């Protein structure tokens, strides 16, 4: 986790205006069991999604829906509420 955090810091220094780095930070937080922080980081990216290139917008939805690091979050209320708040009916659906 230290190495991942260091690499994220370097990437942020190199591309401070790249909001998608928040998704990678959310993956690290989720892997550490920091669910609230992971949702917070994802929300920052979701809020700015309109400023992302179309391929990043698609990748964001795909990452949230499929990335194994977010599996515990997908079944939780905080992530679902955040997605509903920002994406409405377009939010990825949780599968039981």
């Amino acid at each position: 986790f230290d190495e991942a955090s260091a690499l994220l810091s370097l990437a942020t220094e190199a591309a401070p205006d790249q909001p998608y780095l928040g998704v990678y930070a959310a993956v690290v937080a989720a892997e550490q069991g920091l669910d609230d922080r992971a949702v917070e980081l994802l929300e920052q990216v979701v809020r700015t999604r309109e400023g992302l290139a179309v391929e990043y917008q698609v990748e964001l939805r795909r990452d949230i829906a499929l990335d194994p690091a977010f599996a515990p979050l997908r079944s939780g209320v905080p992530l679902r509420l955040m997605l509903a708040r920002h994406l409405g009916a377009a939010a990825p659906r949780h599968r039981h």
Side-chain angles (χ1 to χ4, degrees):
F1 294 123
D2 291 340
E3 183 179 358
S5 294
L7 290 172
L8 279 169
S9 291
L10 287 173
T12 301
E13 287 176 26
D17 296 329
Q18 176 48 267
Y20 206 82
L21 291 173
V23 175
Y24 305 126
V27 167
V28 174
E31 290 287 340
Q32 290 177 299
L34 303 172
D35 295 355
D36 291 340
R37 179 67 179 145
V39 172
E40 178 183 307
L41 289 162
L42 285 173
E43 185 169 18
Q44 291 173 10
V45 179
V46 169
R47 266 187 290 170
T48 61
R49 71 192 176 285
E50 297 299 323
L52 296 172
V54 174
E55 59 269 18
Y56 280 112
Q57 291 180 35
V58 171
E59 189 64 22
L60 175 61
R61 290 178 50 82
R62 187 175 297 134
D63 282 343
I64 291 170
L66 301 174
D67 193 303
F70 299 139
L73 301 178
R74 285 191 291 271
S75 62
V77 172
L79 180 65
R80 289 186 285 160
L81 286 176
M82 182 275 289
L83 292 173
R85 184 171 51 252
H86 292 287
L87 302 177
R93 302 283 183 230
H94 172 64
R95 295 184 184 144
H96 296 281

